[in-house]
Amino acid sequence: MTAIPPHPLVTVARRLAADVLAPQAGRVDQEGVPATSIEAVKRSGLLGVSAPREYGGAGAPASVAREVAEILAGACCSTWFVQTQHHTPVKLLAESQFPVRERLLGPLSTGALLSGIAYAHIRSFPRVPVRATYERGGWRFDGTVPWYTGWGLNDVMLLAGLSDTDEVVFAFADAREQPGLRASPPMRLAALTAARTVSLELKGLRLPEESVVLRTPREKFALADRDRAANTNPAVFGVAYAALDLLAAHPDAAPTARSLRTRLDSVRRTAYALTDHHQPQEHMADRLALKTRAYDLMRTATTAAIVTGGGRSLDLNSPAQRLAREGLFLLVQGQTSAVREAHLTSLADQAPPTPR
């Protein structure tokens, strides 16, 4: 049987990972994602993997976007995390009927511009960290964005706030300090400090009506967000496979690597099949269960890589130790209350019985 050749963007992603991202992942982890890595991602065309072809994107199927994400995350999770923010703004623009679509969808689809996102705080309702208020033909944003990734690397950001009428307002802003917007110093995190995460203080940031890409009832946003969050993050598989590659390089660990890879392959196939199901909402419990199972396998794979490396794994330059920390980050990235509950329940079920 003739093997099906990979999608051209998968080939591009593998080349970028092998030539640029993986060789400097350890240094990036310690020093930060450099602008040169972001420029390489922009030139690659990967920022437009799912963008409409008529705007310069590739219009590739979801399976290709997932494989690209796996490859990038496994090579350098920090760089993956900066660029992954970009794909939600592209999707919203592609679906939008607002004028900002014609201004930004092309540059974002071709990689001329890189976008970040500042809307995870909407999940904290009934707390309202960022309030959006309509005034004088535009919107005023006040409050604090607790997490914003890619500061100093992104060109624009997708910002969200909640209005007095319980509507989520999404609008684009330049990703730089300006009147009404101030960034904190970069956060020091246990993992992915390199991704340049800051908090943003908003005090009367004014954006014109022409910057708005979406206005939607908060409850509608919450339902869609809950559905998206139930899908397994491809980066989890990317980090897990990278850890298994480290294992496979050690003859005494090769059987463990083969066993874990078989299990990971099975979870990956099933998780993606349910993601692509024509009625995925009907399989919410199964999708959450597979998501937590993928977490378990990632954690096992990175732990096995640490064990195989022995004391050398504690060196900050150790790939195994870096992958383990990146895995910890992925356990909580994009977490919703439903995901947290499912994960904690799964962990409780795995706990051994208390001896009598």
Side-chain angles (χ1 to χ4, degrees), residues 260-310:
L260 288 174
R261 190 177 296 273
T262 297
R263 290 151 62 187
L264 190 65
D265 288 345
S266 176
V267 170
R268 179 181 182 271
R269 284 193 300 270
T270 308
Y272 287 168
L274 287 182
T275 297
D276 292 337
H277 194 278
H278 67 284
Q279 291 183 318
Q281 296 86 353
E282 295 183 0
H283 300 274
M284 182 69 71
D286 290 337
R287 289 158 63 204
L288 287 171
L290 284 161
K291 187 182 183 85
T292 58
R293 183 62 180 141
Y295 284 152
D296 292 341
L297 287 169
M298 176 186 66
R299 188 174 65 250
T300 301
T302 56
T303 299
I306 291 284
V307 171
T308 300

mmCIF file of all heavy atoms in Angstrom, residues 260-310:
data_model
loop_
_atom_site.group_PDB
_atom_site.id
_atom_site.type_symbol
_atom_site.label_atom_id
_atom_site.label_comp_id
_atom_site.label_asym_id
_atom_site.label_seq_id
_atom_site.Cartn_x
_atom_site.Cartn_y
_atom_site.Cartn_z
ATOM 1 N N LEU A 260 4.277 2.681 26.096
ATOM 2 C CA LEU A 260 3.579 3.951 26.289
ATOM 3 C C LEU A 260 3.142 4.552 24.959
ATOM 4 O O LEU A 260 2.053 5.147 24.861
ATOM 5 C CB LEU A 260 4.485 4.932 27.034
ATOM 6 C CG LEU A 260 4.725 4.636 28.512
ATOM 7 C CD1 LEU A 260 5.756 5.603 29.090
ATOM 8 C CD2 LEU A 260 3.424 4.721 29.299
ATOM 9 N N ARG A 261 3.944 4.391 23.922
ATOM 10 C CA ARG A 261 3.581 4.941 22.619
ATOM 11 C C ARG A 261 2.318 4.263 22.071
ATOM 12 O O ARG A 261 1.455 4.930 21.487
ATOM 13 C CB ARG A 261 4.735 4.785 21.625
ATOM 14 C CG ARG A 261 4.529 5.542 20.315
ATOM 15 C CD ARG A 261 5.729 5.398 19.403
ATOM 16 N NE ARG A 261 6.921 6.001 19.981
ATOM 17 C CZ ARG A 261 7.233 7.289 19.822
ATOM 18 N NH1 ARG A 261 6.454 8.096 19.114
ATOM 19 N NH2 ARG A 261 8.341 7.768 20.359
ATOM 20 N N THR A 262 2.206 2.982 22.260
ATOM 21 C CA THR A 262 1.005 2.268 21.808
ATOM 22 C C THR A 262 -0.234 2.812 22.500
ATOM 23 O O THR A 262 -1.274 3.048 21.870
ATOM 24 C CB THR A 262 1.148 0.763 22.085
ATOM 25 O OG1 THR A 262 2.253 0.246 21.334
ATOM 26 C CG2 THR A 262 -0.116 0.010 21.678
ATOM 27 N N ARG A 263 -0.123 3.013 23.810
ATOM 28 C CA ARG A 263 -1.264 3.535 24.560
ATOM 29 C C ARG A 263 -1.580 4.968 24.157
ATOM 30 O O ARG A 263 -2.751 5.356 24.022
ATOM 31 C CB ARG A 263 -0.984 3.433 26.047
ATOM 32 C CG ARG A 263 -0.973 1.992 26.557
ATOM 33 C CD ARG A 263 -0.059 1.790 27.760
ATOM 34 N NE ARG A 263 -0.475 2.576 28.915
ATOM 35 C CZ ARG A 263 0.248 2.654 30.026
ATOM 36 N NH1 ARG A 263 1.410 2.016 30.106
ATOM 37 N NH2 ARG A 263 -0.191 3.365 31.044
ATOM 38 N N LEU A 264 -0.534 5.760 23.958
ATOM 39 C CA LEU A 264 -0.742 7.167 23.572
ATOM 40 C C LEU A 264 -1.366 7.253 22.181
ATOM 41 O O LEU A 264 -2.268 8.075 21.949
ATOM 42 C CB LEU A 264 0.587 7.906 23.605
ATOM 43 C CG LEU A 264 0.534 9.428 23.474
ATOM 44 C CD1 LEU A 264 -0.179 10.051 24.659
ATOM 45 C CD2 LEU A 264 1.949 10.005 23.352
ATOM 46 N N ASP A 265 -0.916 6.422 21.258
ATOM 47 C CA ASP A 265 -1.489 6.407 19.910
ATOM 48 C C ASP A 265 -2.987 6.112 19.960
ATOM 49 O O ASP A 265 -3.780 6.733 19.236
ATOM 50 C CB ASP A 265 -0.804 5.345 19.043
ATOM 51 C CG ASP A 265 0.607 5.717 18.636
ATOM 52 O OD1 ASP A 265 0.974 6.902 18.767
ATOM 53 O OD2 ASP A 265 1.346 4.821 18.177
ATOM 54 N N SER A 266 -3.378 5.183 20.816
ATOM 55 C CA SER A 266 -4.793 4.803 20.922
ATOM 56 C C SER A 266 -5.635 5.957 21.457
ATOM 57 O O SER A 266 -6.709 6.267 20.919
ATOM 58 C CB SER A 266 -4.928 3.579 21.832
ATOM 59 O OG SER A 266 -6.286 3.244 22.023
ATOM 60 N N VAL A 267 -5.153 6.603 22.522
ATOM 61 C CA VAL A 267 -5.895 7.733 23.088
ATOM 62 C C VAL A 267 -5.973 8.871 22.074
ATOM 63 O O VAL A 267 -7.030 9.510 21.915
ATOM 64 C CB VAL A 267 -5.228 8.207 24.390
ATOM 65 C CG1 VAL A 267 -5.822 9.530 24.857
ATOM 66 C CG2 VAL A 267 -5.386 7.154 25.468
ATOM 67 N N ARG A 268 -4.900 9.109 21.364
ATOM 68 C CA ARG A 268 -4.874 10.177 20.360
ATOM 69 C C ARG A 268 -5.921 9.924 19.269
ATOM 70 O O ARG A 268 -6.677 10.832 18.903
ATOM 71 C CB ARG A 268 -3.477 10.276 19.754
ATOM 72 C CG ARG A 268 -3.304 11.340 18.666
ATOM 73 C CD ARG A 268 -1.878 11.287 18.149
ATOM 74 N NE ARG A 268 -1.603 12.300 17.139
ATOM 75 C CZ ARG A 268 -1.784 12.122 15.830
ATOM 76 N NH1 ARG A 268 -2.257 10.965 15.377
ATOM 77 N NH2 ARG A 268 -1.495 13.097 14.981
ATOM 78 N N ARG A 269 -5.960 8.720 18.737
ATOM 79 C CA ARG A 269 -6.937 8.404 17.678
ATOM 80 C C ARG A 269 -8.363 8.634 18.162
ATOM 81 O O ARG A 269 -9.183 9.256 17.467
ATOM 82 C CB ARG A 269 -6.771 6.959 17.217
ATOM 83 C CG ARG A 269 -5.582 6.700 16.308
ATOM 84 C CD ARG A 269 -5.688 5.329 15.661
ATOM 85 N NE ARG A 269 -5.729 4.265 16.655
ATOM 86 C CZ ARG A 269 -4.648 3.651 17.135
ATOM 87 N NH1 ARG A 269 -3.439 4.023 16.719
ATOM 88 N NH2 ARG A 269 -4.758 2.685 18.032
ATOM 89 N N THR A 270 -8.662 8.129 19.351
ATOM 90 C CA THR A 270 -10.038 8.225 19.856
ATOM 91 C C THR A 270 -10.394 9.670 20.202
ATOM 92 O O THR A 270 -11.507 10.128 19.913
ATOM 93 C CB THR A 270 -10.206 7.325 21.092
ATOM 94 O OG1 THR A 270 -9.761 6.004 20.792
ATOM 95 C CG2 THR A 270 -11.672 7.260 21.509
ATOM 96 N N ALA A 271 -9.469 10.382 20.822
ATOM 97 C CA ALA A 271 -9.739 11.774 21.197
ATOM 98 C C ALA A 271 -10.013 12.622 19.968
ATOM 99 O O ALA A 271 -10.970 13.420 19.945
ATOM 100 C CB ALA A 271 -8.553 12.339 21.979
ATOM 101 N N TYR A 272 -9.226 12.478 18.935
ATOM 102 C CA TYR A 272 -9.418 13.277 17.732
ATOM 103 C C TYR A 272 -10.687 12.863 16.985
ATOM 104 O O TYR A 272 -11.364 13.704 16.377
ATOM 105 C CB TYR A 272 -8.205 13.166 16.819
ATOM 106 C CG TYR A 272 -6.976 13.917 17.318
ATOM 107 C CD1 TYR A 272 -5.725 13.710 16.743
ATOM 108 C CD2 TYR A 272 -7.067 14.845 18.359
ATOM 109 C CE1 TYR A 272 -4.607 14.401 17.189
ATOM 110 C CE2 TYR A 272 -5.957 15.532 18.811
ATOM 111 C CZ TYR A 272 -4.724 15.308 18.218
ATOM 112 O OH TYR A 272 -3.621 16.000 18.654
ATOM 113 N N ALA A 273 -11.016 11.592 17.031
ATOM 114 C CA ALA A 273 -12.253 11.141 16.387
ATOM 115 C C ALA A 273 -13.465 11.788 17.048
ATOM 116 O O ALA A 273 -14.416 12.202 16.363
ATOM 117 C CB ALA A 273 -12.355 9.622 16.447
ATOM 118 N N LEU A 274 -13.458 11.892 18.365
ATOM 119 C CA LEU A 274 -14.582 12.530 19.056
ATOM 120 C C LEU A 274 -14.578 14.033 18.838
ATOM 121 O O LEU A 274 -15.645 14.657 18.749
ATOM 122 C CB LEU A 274 -14.525 12.210 20.550
ATOM 123 C CG LEU A 274 -14.911 10.779 20.942
ATOM 124 C CD1 LEU A 274 -14.869 10.616 22.449
ATOM 125 C CD2 LEU A 274 -16.302 10.424 20.426
ATOM 126 N N THR A 275 -13.405 14.640 18.735
ATOM 127 C CA THR A 275 -13.343 16.064 18.419
ATOM 128 C C THR A 275 -13.994 16.346 17.076
ATOM 129 O O THR A 275 -14.686 17.356 16.904
ATOM 130 C CB THR A 275 -11.880 16.542 18.396
ATOM 131 O OG1 THR A 275 -11.309 16.389 19.702
ATOM 132 C CG2 THR A 275 -11.778 18.003 17.990
ATOM 133 N N ASP A 276 -13.783 15.448 16.116
ATOM 134 C CA ASP A 276 -14.307 15.628 14.759
ATOM 135 C C ASP A 276 -15.717 15.080 14.583
ATOM 136 O O ASP A 276 -16.269 15.157 13.478
ATOM 137 C CB ASP A 276 -13.371 14.948 13.755
ATOM 138 C CG ASP A 276 -12.023 15.636 13.650
ATOM 139 O OD1 ASP A 276 -11.944 16.834 13.987
ATOM 140 O OD2 ASP A 276 -11.052 14.971 13.244
ATOM 141 N N HIS A 277 -16.298 14.507 15.633
ATOM 142 C CA HIS A 277 -17.639 13.931 15.541
ATOM 143 C C HIS A 277 -18.638 15.009 15.130
ATOM 144 O O HIS A 277 -18.521 16.172 15.530
ATOM 145 C CB HIS A 277 -18.037 13.330 16.890
ATOM 146 C CG HIS A 277 -19.223 12.426 16.830
ATOM 147 N ND1 HIS A 277 -20.519 12.891 16.828
ATOM 148 C CD2 HIS A 277 -19.313 11.067 16.756
ATOM 149 C CE1 HIS A 277 -21.357 11.870 16.777
ATOM 150 N NE2 HIS A 277 -20.660 10.746 16.723
ATOM 151 N N HIS A 278 -19.624 14.620 14.329
ATOM 152 C CA HIS A 278 -20.575 15.622 13.835
ATOM 153 C C HIS A 278 -21.464 16.179 14.942
ATOM 154 O O HIS A 278 -22.071 17.250 14.784
ATOM 155 C CB HIS A 278 -21.433 15.041 12.703
ATOM 156 C CG HIS A 278 -22.378 13.955 13.137
ATOM 157 N ND1 HIS A 278 -21.957 12.664 13.410
ATOM 158 C CD2 HIS A 278 -23.723 13.959 13.337
ATOM 159 C CE1 HIS A 278 -22.991 11.926 13.765
ATOM 160 N NE2 HIS A 278 -24.072 12.683 13.726
ATOM 161 N N GLN A 279 -21.543 15.484 16.088
ATOM 162 C CA GLN A 279 -22.265 16.005 17.245
ATOM 163 C C GLN A 279 -21.407 15.798 18.500
ATOM 164 O O GLN A 279 -21.734 15.004 19.376
ATOM 165 C CB GLN A 279 -23.617 15.320 17.400
ATOM 166 C CG GLN A 279 -24.617 15.679 16.308
ATOM 167 C CD GLN A 279 -25.975 15.034 16.516
ATOM 168 O OE1 GLN A 279 -26.068 13.857 16.879
ATOM 169 N NE2 GLN A 279 -27.024 15.813 16.318
ATOM 170 N N PRO A 280 -20.299 16.522 18.596
ATOM 171 C CA PRO A 280 -19.373 16.282 19.709
ATOM 172 C C PRO A 280 -19.973 16.577 21.077
ATOM 173 O O PRO A 280 -19.542 16.003 22.080
ATOM 174 C CB PRO A 280 -18.202 17.223 19.400
ATOM 175 C CG PRO A 280 -18.789 18.295 18.523
ATOM 176 C CD PRO A 280 -19.839 17.596 17.712
ATOM 177 N N GLN A 281 -20.984 17.455 21.125
ATOM 178 C CA GLN A 281 -21.582 17.796 22.418
ATOM 179 C C GLN A 281 -22.205 16.580 23.090
ATOM 180 O O GLN A 281 -22.327 16.532 24.319
ATOM 181 C CB GLN A 281 -22.641 18.892 22.245
ATOM 182 C CG GLN A 281 -22.104 20.214 21.747
ATOM 183 C CD GLN A 281 -22.019 20.271 20.230
ATOM 184 O OE1 GLN A 281 -22.234 19.269 19.539
ATOM 185 N NE2 GLN A 281 -21.693 21.442 19.691
ATOM 186 N N GLU A 282 -22.609 15.598 22.297
ATOM 187 C CA GLU A 282 -23.225 14.400 22.859
ATOM 188 C C GLU A 282 -22.205 13.498 23.543
ATOM 189 O O GLU A 282 -22.575 12.532 24.218
ATOM 190 C CB GLU A 282 -23.954 13.622 21.761
ATOM 191 C CG GLU A 282 -25.145 14.359 21.162
ATOM 192 C CD GLU A 282 -25.872 13.524 20.125
ATOM 193 O OE1 GLU A 282 -25.437 12.377 19.884
ATOM 194 O OE2 GLU A 282 -26.872 14.019 19.568
ATOM 195 N N HIS A 283 -20.937 13.789 23.367
ATOM 196 C CA HIS A 283 -19.875 12.938 23.918
ATOM 197 C C HIS A 283 -18.999 13.721 24.890
ATOM 198 O O HIS A 283 -17.802 13.456 24.993
ATOM 199 C CB HIS A 283 -19.026 12.364 22.782
ATOM 200 C CG HIS A 283 -19.807 11.532 21.812
ATOM 201 N ND1 HIS A 283 -20.059 10.188 22.011
ATOM 202 C CD2 HIS A 283 -20.414 11.858 20.647
ATOM 203 C CE1 HIS A 283 -20.774 9.717 21.009
ATOM 204 N NE2 HIS A 283 -21.003 10.708 20.166
ATOM 205 N N MET A 284 -19.583 14.663 25.592
ATOM 206 C CA MET A 284 -18.814 15.527 26.483
ATOM 207 C C MET A 284 -18.065 14.716 27.537
ATOM 208 O O MET A 284 -16.862 14.936 27.768
ATOM 209 C CB MET A 284 -19.731 16.543 27.155
ATOM 210 C CG MET A 284 -19.017 17.519 28.063
ATOM 211 S SD MET A 284 -17.960 18.685 27.173
ATOM 212 C CE MET A 284 -19.239 19.705 26.398
ATOM 213 N N ALA A 285 -18.738 13.776 28.186
ATOM 214 C CA ALA A 285 -18.095 12.988 29.238
ATOM 215 C C ALA A 285 -16.933 12.171 28.685
ATOM 216 O O ALA A 285 -15.865 12.085 29.305
ATOM 217 C CB ALA A 285 -19.115 12.089 29.922
ATOM 218 N N ASP A 286 -17.136 11.575 27.522
ATOM 219 C CA ASP A 286 -16.067 10.777 26.911
ATOM 220 C C ASP A 286 -14.880 11.652 26.513
ATOM 221 O O ASP A 286 -13.721 11.256 26.677
ATOM 222 C CB ASP A 286 -16.590 10.048 25.673
ATOM 223 C CG ASP A 286 -17.574 8.938 26.015
ATOM 224 O OD1 ASP A 286 -17.522 8.446 27.161
ATOM 225 O OD2 ASP A 286 -18.391 8.580 25.149
ATOM 226 N N ARG A 287 -15.159 12.833 25.998
ATOM 227 C CA ARG A 287 -14.071 13.725 25.593
ATOM 228 C C ARG A 287 -13.256 14.183 26.808
ATOM 229 O O ARG A 287 -12.027 14.243 26.757
ATOM 230 C CB ARG A 287 -14.639 14.928 24.846
ATOM 231 C CG ARG A 287 -15.163 14.563 23.453
ATOM 232 C CD ARG A 287 -16.166 15.570 22.946
ATOM 233 N NE ARG A 287 -15.591 16.888 22.772
ATOM 234 C CZ ARG A 287 -16.304 18.013 22.796
ATOM 235 N NH1 ARG A 287 -17.618 17.967 23.010
ATOM 236 N NH2 ARG A 287 -15.722 19.167 22.595
ATOM 237 N N LEU A 288 -13.951 14.496 27.897
ATOM 238 C CA LEU A 288 -13.236 14.890 29.111
ATOM 239 C C LEU A 288 -12.424 13.728 29.676
ATOM 240 O O LEU A 288 -11.307 13.917 30.168
ATOM 241 C CB LEU A 288 -14.228 15.396 30.152
ATOM 242 C CG LEU A 288 -14.834 16.780 29.886
ATOM 243 C CD1 LEU A 288 -15.965 17.066 30.865
ATOM 244 C CD2 LEU A 288 -13.773 17.865 29.973
ATOM 245 N N ALA A 289 -12.979 12.517 29.599
ATOM 246 C CA ALA A 289 -12.250 11.348 30.093
ATOM 247 C C ALA A 289 -10.984 11.107 29.274
ATOM 248 O O ALA A 289 -9.920 10.778 29.826
ATOM 249 C CB ALA A 289 -13.147 10.114 30.049
ATOM 250 N N LEU A 290 -11.072 11.277 27.970
ATOM 251 C CA LEU A 290 -9.901 11.102 27.126
ATOM 252 C C LEU A 290 -8.883 12.208 27.349
ATOM 253 O O LEU A 290 -7.672 11.984 27.294
ATOM 254 C CB LEU A 290 -10.323 11.050 25.655
ATOM 255 C CG LEU A 290 -10.964 9.730 25.221
ATOM 256 C CD1 LEU A 290 -11.745 9.917 23.938
ATOM 257 C CD2 LEU A 290 -9.892 8.655 25.033
ATOM 258 N N LYS A 291 -9.369 13.393 27.613
ATOM 259 C CA LYS A 291 -8.461 14.504 27.908
ATOM 260 C C LYS A 291 -7.639 14.200 29.153
ATOM 261 O O LYS A 291 -6.410 14.381 29.166
ATOM 262 C CB LYS A 291 -9.287 15.785 28.112
ATOM 263 C CG LYS A 291 -8.464 17.070 28.263
ATOM 264 C CD LYS A 291 -9.386 18.251 28.500
ATOM 265 C CE LYS A 291 -8.633 19.574 28.580
ATOM 266 N NZ LYS A 291 -8.393 20.146 27.247
ATOM 267 N N THR A 292 -8.295 13.719 30.209
ATOM 268 C CA THR A 292 -7.571 13.394 31.433
ATOM 269 C C THR A 292 -6.669 12.179 31.234
ATOM 270 O O THR A 292 -5.585 12.099 31.835
ATOM 271 C CB THR A 292 -8.538 13.147 32.605
ATOM 272 O OG1 THR A 292 -9.437 12.079 32.276
ATOM 273 C CG2 THR A 292 -9.358 14.390 32.896
ATOM 274 N N ARG A 293 -7.087 11.236 30.386
ATOM 275 C CA ARG A 293 -6.231 10.081 30.088
ATOM 276 C C ARG A 293 -4.969 10.536 29.350
ATOM 277 O O ARG A 293 -3.867 10.037 29.621
ATOM 278 C CB ARG A 293 -7.000 9.063 29.247
ATOM 279 C CG ARG A 293 -6.223 7.787 28.934
ATOM 280 C CD ARG A 293 -5.862 7.049 30.188
ATOM 281 N NE ARG A 293 -5.119 5.836 29.912
ATOM 282 C CZ ARG A 293 -4.112 5.398 30.639
ATOM 283 N NH1 ARG A 293 -3.718 6.095 31.705
ATOM 284 N NH2 ARG A 293 -3.483 4.280 30.330
ATOM 285 N N ALA A 294 -5.115 11.481 28.442
ATOM 286 C CA ALA A 294 -3.938 12.024 27.747
ATOM 287 C C ALA A 294 -3.009 12.717 28.736
ATOM 288 O O ALA A 294 -1.780 12.589 28.640
ATOM 289 C CB ALA A 294 -4.379 12.983 26.644
ATOM 290 N N TYR A 295 -3.571 13.447 29.691
ATOM 291 C CA TYR A 295 -2.750 14.060 30.736
ATOM 292 C C TYR A 295 -1.949 12.990 31.485
ATOM 293 O O TYR A 295 -0.755 13.153 31.763
ATOM 294 C CB TYR A 295 -3.627 14.797 31.744
ATOM 295 C CG TYR A 295 -4.184 16.129 31.312
ATOM 296 C CD1 TYR A 295 -5.385 16.594 31.841
ATOM 297 C CD2 TYR A 295 -3.502 16.942 30.416
ATOM 298 C CE1 TYR A 295 -5.902 17.830 31.480
ATOM 299 C CE2 TYR A 295 -4.007 18.174 30.050
ATOM 300 C CZ TYR A 295 -5.206 18.619 30.577
ATOM 301 O OH TYR A 295 -5.713 19.845 30.216
ATOM 302 N N ASP A 296 -2.637 11.904 31.842
ATOM 303 C CA ASP A 296 -1.975 10.840 32.592
ATOM 304 C C ASP A 296 -0.788 10.276 31.809
ATOM 305 O O ASP A 296 0.296 10.052 32.368
ATOM 306 C CB ASP A 296 -2.958 9.706 32.895
ATOM 307 C CG ASP A 296 -4.045 10.115 33.870
ATOM 308 O OD1 ASP A 296 -3.860 11.123 34.580
ATOM 309 O OD2 ASP A 296 -5.087 9.432 33.910
ATOM 310 N N LEU A 297 -0.998 10.031 30.524
ATOM 311 C CA LEU A 297 0.066 9.452 29.712
ATOM 312 C C LEU A 297 1.211 10.445 29.505
ATOM 313 O O LEU A 297 2.383 10.049 29.476
ATOM 314 C CB LEU A 297 -0.500 8.974 28.381
ATOM 315 C CG LEU A 297 -1.354 7.704 28.466
ATOM 316 C CD1 LEU A 297 -2.099 7.459 27.159
ATOM 317 C CD2 LEU A 297 -0.472 6.496 28.790
ATOM 318 N N MET A 298 0.881 11.715 29.332
ATOM 319 C CA MET A 298 1.935 12.722 29.223
ATOM 320 C C MET A 298 2.761 12.760 30.503
ATOM 321 O O MET A 298 4.006 12.791 30.455
ATOM 322 C CB MET A 298 1.331 14.100 28.938
ATOM 323 C CG MET A 298 2.358 15.235 28.905
ATOM 324 S SD MET A 298 1.625 16.876 28.736
ATOM 325 C CE MET A 298 0.723 17.029 30.302
ATOM 326 N N ARG A 299 2.083 12.763 31.622
ATOM 327 C CA ARG A 299 2.791 12.805 32.908
ATOM 328 C C ARG A 299 3.655 11.552 33.088
ATOM 329 O O ARG A 299 4.803 11.635 33.544
ATOM 330 C CB ARG A 299 1.778 12.919 34.046
ATOM 331 C CG ARG A 299 2.419 13.168 35.413
ATOM 332 C CD ARG A 299 1.376 13.410 36.486
ATOM 333 N NE ARG A 299 0.543 12.246 36.717
ATOM 334 C CZ ARG A 299 -0.739 12.168 36.385
ATOM 335 N NH1 ARG A 299 -1.331 13.191 35.787
ATOM 336 N NH2 ARG A 299 -1.447 11.089 36.627
ATOM 337 N N THR A 300 3.132 10.402 32.690
ATOM 338 C CA THR A 300 3.900 9.162 32.788
ATOM 339 C C THR A 300 5.114 9.197 31.873
ATOM 340 O O THR A 300 6.220 8.782 32.256
ATOM 341 C CB THR A 300 3.010 7.955 32.440
ATOM 342 O OG1 THR A 300 1.895 7.912 33.340
ATOM 343 C CG2 THR A 300 3.781 6.652 32.548
ATOM 344 N N ALA A 301 4.928 9.691 30.649
ATOM 345 C CA ALA A 301 6.028 9.741 29.689
ATOM 346 C C ALA A 301 7.128 10.672 30.156
ATOM 347 O O ALA A 301 8.323 10.335 30.084
ATOM 348 C CB ALA A 301 5.509 10.170 28.318
ATOM 349 N N THR A 302 6.755 11.855 30.653
ATOM 350 C CA THR A 302 7.787 12.796 31.104
ATOM 351 C C THR A 302 8.459 12.294 32.381
ATOM 352 O O THR A 302 9.665 12.491 32.566
ATOM 353 C CB THR A 302 7.200 14.198 31.328
ATOM 354 O OG1 THR A 302 6.102 14.133 32.255
ATOM 355 C CG2 THR A 302 6.699 14.795 30.008
ATOM 356 N N THR A 303 7.695 11.625 33.249
ATOM 357 C CA THR A 303 8.300 11.045 34.451
ATOM 358 C C THR A 303 9.288 9.950 34.076
ATOM 359 O O THR A 303 10.388 9.862 34.643
ATOM 360 C CB THR A 303 7.215 10.478 35.382
ATOM 361 O OG1 THR A 303 6.335 11.524 35.790
ATOM 362 C CG2 THR A 303 7.836 9.839 36.622
ATOM 363 N N ALA A 304 8.921 9.116 33.117
ATOM 364 C CA ALA A 304 9.822 8.050 32.667
ATOM 365 C C ALA A 304 11.105 8.637 32.088
ATOM 366 O O ALA A 304 12.201 8.092 32.285
ATOM 367 C CB ALA A 304 9.117 7.179 31.631
ATOM 368 N N ALA A 305 10.982 9.760 31.373
ATOM 369 C CA ALA A 305 12.181 10.404 30.826
ATOM 370 C C ALA A 305 13.074 10.921 31.943
ATOM 371 O O ALA A 305 14.311 10.831 31.864
ATOM 372 C CB ALA A 305 11.782 11.542 29.888
ATOM 373 N N ILE A 306 12.476 11.464 33.010
ATOM 374 C CA ILE A 306 13.243 11.913 34.166
ATOM 375 C C ILE A 306 13.960 10.728 34.820
ATOM 376 O O ILE A 306 15.164 10.784 35.127
ATOM 377 C CB ILE A 306 12.322 12.591 35.200
ATOM 378 C CG1 ILE A 306 11.786 13.922 34.673
ATOM 379 C CG2 ILE A 306 13.037 12.779 36.544
ATOM 380 C CD1 ILE A 306 12.761 15.056 34.691
ATOM 381 N N VAL A 307 13.227 9.644 35.039
ATOM 382 C CA VAL A 307 13.804 8.460 35.682
ATOM 383 C C VAL A 307 14.957 7.905 34.854
ATOM 384 O O VAL A 307 16.016 7.542 35.388
ATOM 385 C CB VAL A 307 12.716 7.385 35.888
ATOM 386 C CG1 VAL A 307 13.327 6.067 36.342
ATOM 387 C CG2 VAL A 307 11.683 7.865 36.909
ATOM 388 N N THR A 308 14.786 7.857 33.565
ATOM 389 C CA THR A 308 15.824 7.327 32.685
ATOM 390 C C THR A 308 17.082 8.182 32.743
ATOM 391 O O THR A 308 18.207 7.663 32.720
ATOM 392 C CB THR A 308 15.309 7.251 31.240
ATOM 393 O OG1 THR A 308 14.166 6.389 31.194
ATOM 394 C CG2 THR A 308 16.371 6.705 30.306
ATOM 395 N N GLY A 309 16.908 9.487 32.824
ATOM 396 C CA GLY A 309 18.057 10.386 32.876
ATOM 397 C C GLY A 309 18.767 10.413 34.209
ATOM 398 O O GLY A 309 19.893 10.909 34.302
ATOM 399 N N GLY A 310 18.112 9.913 35.255
ATOM 400 C CA GLY A 310 18.725 9.904 36.574
ATOM 401 C C GLY A 310 19.009 11.304 37.077
ATOM 402 O O GLY A 310 18.277 12.261 36.792
#
